Amino acid sequence: MYNWGQYVPGNSIIHRLDPRIKILSVIVLSVFILKVGVNAGLLLSVFMMAVIFMSRLTFQRVITSLRPFIIFFILLFLLHVLFTAGTPIVRFSFCGLSITHEGLYRGLYITWQFMFLVTGASILTMTTVPSDLISGIEGILKPLRPLGVPTHDIAIMLSLALRFVPTFLGEIDRIKKAQMARGANFKKGKMIKKIKNITSLALPIVLSSFRRAEETATAMEGRGYKRGPRTCLRNLRMSSADYIALVLMVAMMTGIQLMAL
Amino acid sequence: MIKVENVTFRYDHSGEPALNRINMTIDKGEYIGIVGPNGCGKTTLVQHFNALLYPEDGRVSVDGMNTDDESCVEEIRRRVGMVFQNPDNQIVGMTVEEDIAFGPGNLELPSPEIRQRVDESLARVGLKNHAERQPYTLSGGEKRLVSIAGVLAMKPEYIIFDEPTSYLDPSGRDRILSLIEEINKQGIAIIHITHNMDEIVNAGRVVVMDEGRVVLTGSPKEVFGKVEQMKALKLDIPVVTDLAWRLKQRGEDIRTDILTIDEACLEILDRLKSPHAS
Ligand SMILES: Nc1ncnc2c1ncn2[C@@H]1O[C@H](COP(=O)(O)OP(=O)(O)O)[C@@H](O)[C@H]1O
Ligand SMILES: [Mg+2]
């Protein structure tokens, strides 16, 4: 549970980069990998490898973070392999489908693109403390503040959500055990019975989270929370490494764009 | 000074009042215990002290600021800190230090000052080495300490503890109780709600509530000495006081305003030495 892209403590250059730079880079890389051709795609992949290397994350760790998405990757691949028109390699006469050159190529390429997206996102979350991630998002949204975007409130909302995920999972577990102690079975039995059991799980969980939310809201108010401006423990500060990373990203993207790779 | 004048409060307008014409004052630096059966309105009352609830009738003021006055609410909430009954729902930060920074952040203090207050508060509750831990990895006692540190970081004048020892094991309890006493020694007023009378035998004053009213108030000796009245309210009294009372019931002529084991020791020794005392 709760493992994909979990923060891996470290002190590499990637860990220390400003979260705003990291988030923007992941967004830009994601947009580029989806729109550029194979050559630029390969170049970006090499770049990603370099980033993994610099972050001192083991490749095994990065691969593990792809695991929850494997079914999705396989489906994506099969869909393109089987449903792209072109020169057939193998033909399945019984259903009229065939594997084509073009399909194989597209399948591989698109799966590769999505693996790149997931890898980028998980490197971001594995090298950034969750709270920095949120300050990063808040920082990026900051220019929208004059337009009335409540950036402080968004940040508080996100951090509350992350704060309560483990609590919530613990709660589900607790209620499940309580119901099992009273004879409910969530694994075996008829479908109808199982669905009934799961519904009986949902109600107490919803009720208890409402109660919890109310208490938390009261506590926040008691601690002086009000909507609008507030200050934080840490302020984001761009260092020279951040400026170098920024220049590097801009240079690389401009290069790819100009050469139309 | 927190001043409660003739306060009445109802959660729903037709029903029974949760607070019924309450009057009380709490001085700077005082240590006051509030006891009473479940549902008698203790939590409801203390939530009036920091403007989380407003009286339907009557008024509450903190150091002269009325809680009804919108412009004072922020300052009232800084001065009157509250440690809620369930610390799990009070902790809102993703890490311990960020949680403690939540209150000072709401005061819009500059980051270096927040950092200083966070470090100070962590040291005061003895959690210096846990600054970066995530709340869900903490024990119940540690969570409670974090919520206390979060309140201390506001530099309050009064702190309300709503059943601060519930869900704790004996060692966690002792740690919290001695911390509360320490905080009081530094001049911060304590309002301590509890079901365990032994926890407040050293309080300056005890207030007993029942069905939304204050039914008894006085020093711990005065209040716990009224054993019959406490028992009628189905409230516990300190174990030693109960012992003395039962001895008295059996015809022994003994004081019933004994609250602690130390006092009981002295009384017993006294009797052993001079058997004719009575
Ligand atoms: N949020 C609420 N909504 C409605 N009624 C409430 C609420 N909180 C408390 N009450 C009722 O008000 C009365 C006093 O409750 P409370 O102050 O929590 O008592 P205590 O803290 O002494 O156990 C109880 O009868 C309780 O049921
Ligand atoms: Mg209560």
Side-chain angles (χ1 to χ4, degrees), chain A residues 2 6 129-132 134 156 158-160 162-164 166-167 211-212 215-226 229-235, chain B residues 47 50 52 74 77 80 84 86 88-94 97-106 108-111 114-115 118 132 135-136 150 154:
Chain A
Y2 196 55
Q6 203 169 32
V129 190
S131 42
D132 283 350
I134 290 169
I156 286 282
L158 288 175
S159 81
L160 273 178
L162 289 185
R163 145 77 179 90
F164 278 104
T167 311
R211 204 198 51 233
R212 196 184 280 286
E215 270 182 48
T216 304
T218 311
M220 286 171 68
E221 239 186 278
R223 297 176 70 184
Y225 178 72
K226 56 203 180 316
R230 56 193 309 283
T231 51
C232 297
L233 186 59
R234 271 187 292 260
N235 281 327
Chain B
Q47 291 197 347
N50 66 345
L52 287 174
E74 196 177 339
R77 289 189 179 149
V80 186
F84 288 78
N86 185 348
D88 221 353
N89 299 338
Q90 182 170 14
I91 298 176
V92 296
M94 273 182 295
E97 61 176 12
E98 269 165 57
D99 184 72
I100 299 169
F102 179 75
N106 292 333
E108 295 174 61
L109 298 174
S111 303
I114 298 184
R115 166 54 66 190
V118 167
E132 313 243 317
Y136 74 95
M154 302 289 271

Coordinates of all heavy atoms in Angstrom, one line a residue, chain A residues 2 6 129-132 134 156 158-160 162-164 166-167 211-212 215-226 229-235, chain B residues 47 50 52 74 77 80 84 86 88-94 97-106 108-111 114-115 118 132 135-136 150 154:
Chain A
Y2 N 0.4 2.3 -0.6 CA 1.0 3.6 -0.5 C 2.5 3.6 -0.8 O 3.3 3.9 0.0 CB 0.8 4.1 0.9 CG 1.0 5.6 1.1 CD1 0.4 6.5 0.3 CD2 1.9 6.0 2.1 CE1 0.6 7.8 0.5 CE2 2.1 7.4 2.2 CZ 1.4 8.3 1.4 OH 1.7 9.6 1.6
Q6 N 7.1 6.7 -3.6 CA 7.3 7.3 -2.3 C 8.7 7.9 -2.2 O 9.6 7.4 -2.8 CB 7.1 6.2 -1.3 CG 6.8 6.7 0.1 CD 6.4 5.6 1.0 OE1 6.9 4.5 0.9 NE2 5.5 5.9 1.9
V129 N 10.6 15.8 -1.0 CA 9.8 15.7 0.2 C 8.4 16.2 -0.2 O 8.2 17.2 -0.8 CB 10.3 16.5 1.3 CG1 9.6 16.2 2.6 CG2 11.8 16.4 1.5
P130 N 7.3 15.4 0.2 CA 6.0 15.8 -0.2 C 5.6 17.3 0.1 O 5.0 18.0 -0.7 CB 5.1 14.9 0.7 CG 5.9 13.7 1.0 CD 7.3 14.2 1.0
S131 N 6.1 17.8 1.3 CA 5.8 19.2 1.6 C 6.5 20.1 0.6 O 5.9 21.2 0.2 CB 6.1 19.5 3.0 OG 7.4 19.0 3.3
D132 N 7.7 19.8 0.2 CA 8.3 20.7 -0.8 C 7.6 20.6 -2.2 O 7.5 21.6 -2.9 CB 9.8 20.2 -1.1 CG 10.7 20.6 0.1 OD1 10.2 21.5 0.9 OD2 11.8 20.2 0.1
I134 N 4.5 20.3 -2.5 CA 3.3 21.2 -2.4 C 3.7 22.7 -2.4 O 3.1 23.5 -3.1 CB 2.5 20.9 -1.1 CG1 1.9 19.5 -1.3 CG2 1.5 22.0 -0.8 CD1 1.3 19.0 0.0
I156 N -2.8 24.2 1.3 CA -3.3 23.6 2.6 C -4.1 22.3 2.3 O -4.0 21.3 2.9 CB -4.1 24.6 3.4 CG1 -3.2 25.6 4.0 CG2 -5.0 23.9 4.5 CD1 -2.5 25.1 5.3
L158 N -4.0 20.4 -0.4 CA -3.2 19.3 -0.8 C -2.5 18.6 0.4 O -2.4 17.4 0.5 CB -2.2 19.8 -1.8 CG -2.7 20.1 -3.2 CD1 -1.6 20.7 -4.1 CD2 -3.3 18.9 -3.9
S159 N -1.9 19.5 1.3 CA -1.1 18.9 2.3 C -2.0 18.1 3.3 O -1.6 17.1 3.8 CB -0.2 19.9 3.0 OG -1.0 20.6 3.9
L160 N -3.2 18.6 3.5 CA -4.2 17.9 4.4 C -4.5 16.5 3.8 O -4.5 15.5 4.5 CB -5.5 18.7 4.5 CG -5.5 19.7 5.7 CD1 -6.9 20.4 5.7 CD2 -5.3 19.0 7.0
L162 N -2.7 14.7 1.7 CA -1.6 13.8 1.9 C -1.4 13.4 3.4 O -1.1 12.2 3.6 CB -0.3 14.4 1.4 CG -0.1 14.6 -0.1 CD1 1.2 15.2 -0.5 CD2 -0.4 13.3 -0.8
R163 N -1.6 14.3 4.3 CA -1.5 14.0 5.7 C -2.4 12.9 6.1 O -2.1 12.0 6.9 CB -1.7 15.3 6.5 CG -2.3 15.2 7.8 CD -1.4 14.7 8.9 NE -2.1 14.6 10.2 CZ -2.7 13.5 10.7 NH1 -2.8 12.4 9.9 NH2 -3.3 13.5 11.9
F164 N -3.6 12.9 5.5 CA -4.6 12.0 6.0 C -4.7 10.7 5.3 O -5.5 9.8 5.6 CB -6.0 12.7 6.1 CG -6.2 13.5 7.4 CD1 -6.1 14.8 7.4 CD2 -6.3 12.8 8.6 CE1 -6.2 15.6 8.5 CE2 -6.5 13.6 9.8 CZ -6.4 14.9 9.7
P166 N -2.5 8.1 5.0 CA -2.2 6.9 5.9 C -3.3 6.7 7.0 O -3.6 5.6 7.3 CB -0.9 7.3 6.5 CG -0.4 8.4 5.7 CD -1.5 9.1 5.1
T167 N -3.7 7.8 7.6 CA -4.7 7.7 8.6 C -6.0 7.0 8.1 O -6.5 6.2 8.8 CB -5.1 9.1 9.1 OG1 -3.9 9.9 9.4 CG2 -6.0 9.1 10.4
R211 N -16.8 12.8 10.6 CA -16.6 13.3 12.0 C -15.2 13.8 12.1 O -15.0 14.9 12.7 CB -16.9 12.1 12.9 CG -17.2 12.6 14.3 CD -17.0 11.5 15.3 NE -15.7 10.9 15.2 CZ -15.4 9.6 15.0 NH1 -16.3 8.8 14.9 NH2 -14.1 9.2 14.9
R212 N -14.3 13.1 11.5 CA -12.9 13.5 11.6 C -12.7 14.9 10.9 O -12.0 15.7 11.5 CB -12.0 12.4 10.9 CG -10.6 12.5 11.2 CD -9.9 11.5 10.3 NE -10.0 10.1 10.9 CZ -9.3 9.7 11.9 NH1 -8.5 10.5 12.6 NH2 -9.4 8.5 12.3
E215 N -13.9 17.7 13.1 CA -13.0 17.9 14.2 C -11.7 18.6 13.8 O -11.3 19.6 14.4 CB -12.6 16.6 14.9 CG -13.5 16.2 16.0 CD -13.1 14.9 16.7 OE1 -11.9 14.8 17.0 OE2 -13.9 14.0 16.9
T216 N -11.2 18.2 12.6 CA -10.0 18.8 12.1 C -10.3 20.3 11.8 O -9.4 21.1 12.0 CB -9.5 18.0 10.9 OG1 -9.3 16.7 11.3 CG2 -8.2 18.6 10.4
A217 N -11.4 20.5 11.2 CA -11.7 21.9 10.8 C -11.8 22.8 12.0 O -11.3 23.9 12.1 CB -13.1 21.9 10.0
T218 N -12.4 22.3 13.1 CA -12.5 23.0 14.3 C -11.1 23.3 14.9 O -10.8 24.4 15.3 CB -13.3 22.3 15.4 OG1 -14.6 21.9 14.8 CG2 -13.6 23.1 16.6
A219 N -10.3 22.2 14.9 CA -8.9 22.4 15.4 C -8.1 23.4 14.6 O -7.4 24.2 15.2 CB -8.2 21.0 15.4
M220 N -8.3 23.4 13.3 CA -7.6 24.4 12.5 C -8.0 25.8 12.8 O -7.2 26.7 12.9 CB -7.8 24.1 11.0 CG -7.1 22.8 10.5 SD -7.5 22.3 8.8 CE -6.9 23.7 7.9
E221 N -9.3 25.9 13.0 CA -9.8 27.3 13.3 C -9.2 27.7 14.7 O -8.8 28.9 14.8 CB -11.3 27.2 13.4 CG -12.0 28.2 12.5 CD -13.5 28.2 12.8 OE1 -14.2 27.2 12.3 OE2 -14.0 29.0 13.5
G222 N -9.2 26.8 15.6 CA -8.7 27.1 16.9 C -7.2 27.5 16.9 O -6.7 28.2 17.8
R223 N -6.5 27.0 15.9 CA -5.1 27.3 15.8 C -4.9 28.5 14.9 O -3.8 28.8 14.4 CB -4.3 26.1 15.2 CG -4.4 24.9 16.1 CD -3.7 23.7 15.5 NE -2.3 23.8 15.5 CZ -1.5 22.9 15.0 NH1 -2.0 21.8 14.4 NH2 -0.2 23.1 14.9
G224 N -5.9 29.3 14.7 CA -5.8 30.5 14.0 C -5.9 30.5 12.5 O -5.6 31.5 11.8
Y225 N -6.3 29.4 11.9 CA -6.4 29.3 10.5 C -7.5 30.1 9.9 O -8.6 30.1 10.5 CB -6.6 27.9 10.0 CG -6.7 27.8 8.5 CD1 -5.6 28.0 7.7 CD2 -7.9 27.5 7.9 CE1 -5.7 27.9 6.3 CE2 -8.0 27.5 6.5 CZ -6.9 27.7 5.7 OH -7.0 27.6 4.4
K226 N -7.3 30.9 8.9 CA -8.3 31.6 8.2 C -7.9 31.6 6.7 O -6.8 31.4 6.4 CB -8.4 33.1 8.7 CG -7.1 33.8 8.6 CD -7.0 35.0 9.5 CE -5.6 35.7 9.3 NZ -4.4 34.8 9.2
P229 N -3.8 34.8 3.1 CA -2.4 34.7 3.2 C -1.9 34.1 4.5 O -2.5 34.3 5.6 CB -1.9 36.2 3.1 CG -3.1 37.0 3.4 CD -4.3 36.2 3.0
R230 N -0.8 33.3 4.4 CA -0.1 32.8 5.6 C 1.3 32.6 5.2 O 1.7 32.6 4.1 CB -0.8 31.5 6.1 CG -0.9 30.4 5.1 CD -1.8 29.3 5.5 NE -1.5 28.8 6.9 CZ -0.5 28.0 7.1 NH1 0.3 27.5 6.1 NH2 -0.2 27.6 8.4
T231 N 2.1 32.3 6.2 CA 3.6 32.1 6.0 C 3.9 30.7 6.3 O 3.2 29.9 6.9 CB 4.4 33.1 6.8 OG1 4.0 32.9 8.2 CG2 4.3 34.5 6.4
C232 N 5.1 30.3 5.8 CA 5.6 28.9 6.0 C 6.9 28.8 6.7 O 7.6 29.8 6.8 CB 5.7 28.2 4.6 SG 4.2 28.1 3.7
L233 N 7.2 27.6 7.1 CA 8.5 27.3 7.8 C 9.6 27.5 6.9 O 10.6 28.1 7.2 CB 8.4 25.8 8.3 CG 9.6 25.3 9.1 CD1 9.7 26.1 10.4 CD2 9.3 23.9 9.4
R234 N 9.5 27.1 5.6 CA 10.6 27.2 4.7 C 10.1 28.0 3.5 O 9.0 27.8 3.0 CB 11.0 25.8 4.2 CG 12.0 25.1 5.0 CD 12.5 23.9 4.3 NE 11.4 22.9 4.4 CZ 11.4 21.9 5.2 NH1 12.3 21.7 6.1 NH2 10.4 21.1 5.2
N235 N 11.0 28.8 3.0 CA 10.7 29.5 1.8 C 11.6 29.0 0.7 O 12.7 28.7 0.9 CB 11.0 31.0 1.9 CG 9.8 31.7 2.7 OD1 8.7 31.3 2.5 ND2 10.2 32.7 3.4
Chain B
Q47 N -14.8 25.5 24.6 CA -14.8 26.0 23.2 C -15.3 27.5 23.1 O -15.1 28.1 22.1 CB -15.5 25.1 22.3 CG -14.7 23.8 22.1 CD -15.1 22.9 20.9 OE1 -16.2 23.2 20.3 NE2 -14.3 21.9 20.6
N50 N -12.1 30.2 23.4 CA -11.3 30.7 22.3 C -12.1 30.9 21.0 O -11.7 30.7 19.9 CB -10.0 29.8 22.0 CG -10.4 28.5 21.5 OD1 -11.6 28.0 21.6 ND2 -9.5 27.8 20.9
L52 N -14.5 29.4 19.5 CA -14.9 28.4 18.6 C -16.4 28.3 18.7 O -17.1 27.8 17.7 CB -14.2 27.0 18.9 CG -12.7 27.0 18.6 CD1 -12.1 25.7 19.1 CD2 -12.5 27.1 17.1
E74 N -8.8 36.7 16.2 CA -7.4 36.2 15.9 C -6.5 36.2 17.2 O -5.8 35.3 17.5 CB -6.8 37.0 14.8 CG -5.6 36.3 14.2 CD -5.0 37.1 13.0 OE1 -5.8 37.9 12.4 OE2 -3.9 36.9 12.7
R77 N -7.6 33.7 19.8 CA -7.2 32.4 19.6 C -5.6 32.2 19.7 O -5.2 31.1 20.0 CB -7.6 32.0 18.1 CG -9.1 31.8 18.1 CD -9.5 31.2 16.8 NE -11.0 31.0 16.8 CZ -11.8 31.1 15.8 NH1 -11.2 31.3 14.6 NH2 -13.1 31.0 15.9
V80 N -5.4 32.0 23.7 CA -6.0 30.8 24.4 C -5.8 29.6 23.4 O -6.5 29.5 22.4 CB -7.5 31.0 24.6 CG1 -8.1 29.8 25.4 CG2 -7.8 32.3 25.3
F84 N -6.9 19.5 21.8 CA -8.2 18.7 21.7 C -8.0 17.3 22.2 O -6.9 16.8 22.4 CB -8.6 18.7 20.3 CG -9.1 20.0 19.8 CD1 -8.2 21.0 19.4 CD2 -10.4 20.3 19.6 CE1 -8.6 22.3 19.0 CE2 -10.9 21.5 19.2 CZ -10.0 22.5 18.9
N86 N -8.8 14.4 20.9 CA -8.2 13.4 20.0 C -7.0 14.1 19.2 O -7.3 14.8 18.2 CB -9.2 12.9 19.0 CG -8.7 11.7 18.2 OD1 -7.5 11.5 18.1 ND2 -9.6 11.0 17.5
D88 N -5.1 13.0 17.0 CA -5.0 12.6 15.6 C -5.7 13.5 14.7 O -5.2 13.7 13.6 CB -5.6 11.2 15.5 CG -4.8 10.3 14.6 OD1 -3.9 10.8 14.0 OD2 -5.2 9.1 14.5
N89 N -6.7 14.2 15.1 CA -7.5 15.1 14.3 C -7.0 16.5 14.4 O -7.4 17.4 13.6 CB -8.9 15.0 14.6 CG -9.5 13.7 14.4 OD1 -8.9 12.9 13.6 ND2 -10.6 13.3 15.0
Q90 N -6.1 16.8 15.3 CA -5.6 18.1 15.5 C -4.3 18.3 14.7 O -4.0 19.5 14.4 CB -5.3 18.4 17.0 CG -4.8 19.8 17.3 CD -4.8 20.1 18.8 OE1 -4.9 19.2 19.6 NE2 -4.6 21.4 19.1
I91 N -3.6 17.3 14.4 CA -2.3 17.4 13.6 C -2.6 17.5 12.2 O -3.2 16.6 11.6 CB -1.4 16.2 13.9 CG1 -1.1 16.2 15.4 CG2 -0.2 16.3 13.1 CD1 -0.3 15.0 15.9
V92 N -2.2 18.6 11.6 CA -2.6 18.9 10.2 C -1.4 18.9 9.3 O -1.5 18.9 8.0 CB -3.4 20.2 10.0 CG1 -4.7 20.1 10.7 CG2 -2.6 21.4 10.5
G93 N -0.1 18.9 9.8 CA 1.0 19.0 9.0 C 1.5 17.6 8.5 O 1.1 16.6 9.1
M94 N 2.2 17.6 7.4 CA 2.7 16.3 6.9 C 3.9 15.8 7.7 O 4.2 14.6 7.6 CB 3.1 16.5 5.4 CG 1.9 16.2 4.5 SD 2.4 16.3 2.8 CE 2.9 18.0 2.8
E97 N 7.4 19.0 12.3 CA 7.8 20.4 12.4 C 6.8 21.2 11.6 O 6.6 22.4 12.0 CB 9.3 20.6 12.0 CG 9.6 20.2 10.6 CD 11.0 20.5 10.2 OE1 11.8 20.9 11.1 OE2 11.3 20.5 9.0
E98 N 6.3 20.7 10.5 CA 5.4 21.5 9.7 C 4.1 21.7 10.5 O 3.4 22.7 10.4 CB 5.1 20.9 8.4 CG 6.0 21.3 7.4 CD 6.0 20.5 6.2 OE1 4.9 20.3 5.6 OE2 7.0 19.9 5.8
D99 N 3.7 20.7 11.2 CA 2.5 20.8 12.0 C 2.7 21.9 13.1 O 1.8 22.8 13.2 CB 2.1 19.5 12.7 CG 0.8 19.7 13.4 OD1 -0.2 19.8 12.7 OD2 0.8 19.8 14.7
I100 N 3.8 21.9 13.7 CA 4.0 23.0 14.7 C 4.1 24.3 14.1 O 3.7 25.3 14.7 CB 5.3 22.6 15.5 CG1 5.1 21.3 16.2 CG2 5.6 23.7 16.6 CD1 6.3 20.7 16.8
A101 N 4.5 24.4 12.8 CA 4.6 25.7 12.1 C 3.3 26.2 11.7 O 3.2 27.3 11.2 CB 5.6 25.5 11.0
F102 N 2.2 25.3 11.8 CA 0.9 25.7 11.2 C 0.4 27.0 11.9 O 0.0 27.9 11.2 CB 0.0 24.5 11.4 CG -1.4 24.8 10.9 CD1 -1.7 24.9 9.5 CD2 -2.5 25.1 11.7 CE1 -2.9 25.1 9.0 CE2 -3.7 25.3 11.3 CZ -4.0 25.4 9.9
G103 N 0.4 27.0 13.3 CA -0.2 28.1 14.0 C 0.6 29.4 13.7 O 0.0 30.4 13.3
P104 N 1.9 29.4 13.9 CA 2.7 30.6 13.7 C 2.6 31.0 12.2 O 2.6 32.2 11.9 CB 4.2 30.1 13.9 CG 4.0 29.0 14.9 CD 2.7 28.3 14.6
G105 N 2.4 30.1 11.3 CA 2.2 30.5 9.9 C 0.9 31.2 9.7 O 0.8 32.2 8.9
N106 N -0.1 30.8 10.5 CA -1.4 31.5 10.4 C -1.3 33.0 11.0 O -2.0 33.8 10.6 CB -2.5 30.8 11.2 CG -2.9 29.5 10.6 OD1 -2.7 29.4 9.4 ND2 -3.3 28.5 11.4
E108 N 1.1 34.7 10.3 CA 1.9 35.4 9.3 C 3.3 35.9 9.8 O 3.7 36.9 9.4 CB 1.1 36.5 8.6 CG -0.1 36.0 7.9 CD -1.0 37.1 7.3 OE1 -0.5 37.9 6.5 OE2 -2.1 37.2 7.7
L109 N 3.9 35.1 10.7 CA 5.2 35.4 11.1 C 6.2 35.1 10.0 O 6.0 34.2 9.2 CB 5.6 34.6 12.4 CG 4.7 34.8 13.6 CD1 5.0 33.8 14.7 CD2 4.8 36.2 14.1
P110 N 7.4 35.8 10.0 CA 8.4 35.5 9.0 C 9.1 34.2 9.3 O 9.1 33.7 10.4 CB 9.4 36.7 9.2 CG 9.1 37.2 10.6 CD 7.7 37.0 10.9
S111 N 9.5 33.5 8.2 CA 10.0 32.1 8.3 C 11.1 31.9 9.4 O 11.0 30.9 10.1 CB 10.6 31.7 7.0 OG 9.6 31.7 6.0
I114 N 9.4 31.6 12.7 CA 8.7 30.4 12.8 C 9.7 29.2 13.1 O 9.4 28.4 14.0 CB 8.0 30.0 11.4 CG1 6.9 31.1 11.1 CG2 7.3 28.7 11.5 CD1 6.1 30.8 9.9
R115 N 10.8 29.2 12.4 CA 11.8 28.2 12.7 C 12.2 28.2 14.1 O 12.3 27.1 14.8 CB 13.0 28.4 11.7 CG 14.3 27.7 12.0 CD 14.1 26.2 12.1 NE 13.7 25.6 10.9 CZ 13.3 24.3 10.8 NH1 13.2 23.5 11.9 NH2 13.0 23.8 9.7
V118 N 9.4 26.8 16.3 CA 9.3 25.4 16.2 C 10.4 24.7 17.0 O 10.1 23.7 17.7 CB 9.4 25.0 14.7 CG1 9.5 23.5 14.5 CG2 8.1 25.5 13.9
E132 N 11.3 15.6 11.7 CA 10.9 15.3 10.3 C 10.0 14.1 10.2 O 9.7 13.7 9.1 CB 12.2 15.0 9.5 CG 13.3 16.0 9.8 CD 13.6 16.8 8.5 OE1 13.7 16.1 7.5 OE2 13.8 18.0 8.6
P135 N 3.3 12.2 10.9 CA 2.4 12.0 12.1 C 1.9 10.6 12.3 O 1.9 10.1 13.4 CB 1.2 12.9 11.7 CG 1.7 13.9 10.8 CD 2.8 13.3 10.1
Y136 N 1.6 9.9 11.2 CA 1.1 8.5 11.4 C 2.1 7.5 11.9 O 1.7 6.4 12.3 CB 0.4 8.0 10.1 CG 1.4 7.6 9.0 CD1 1.8 6.2 8.9 CD2 2.0 8.5 8.1 CE1 2.7 5.8 7.9 CE2 2.8 8.1 7.2 CZ 3.2 6.8 7.1 OH 4.1 6.4 6.1
G150 N 2.5 22.4 19.2 CA 1.8 23.3 18.2 C 1.2 24.4 18.9 O 1.1 25.5 18.4
M154 N 2.5 29.1 19.7 CA 1.7 30.4 19.5 C 2.0 31.3 20.7 O 1.4 32.4 20.7 CB 0.2 30.0 19.5 CG -0.3 29.1 18.4 SD -0.2 29.9 16.8 CE -1.8 30.6 16.8

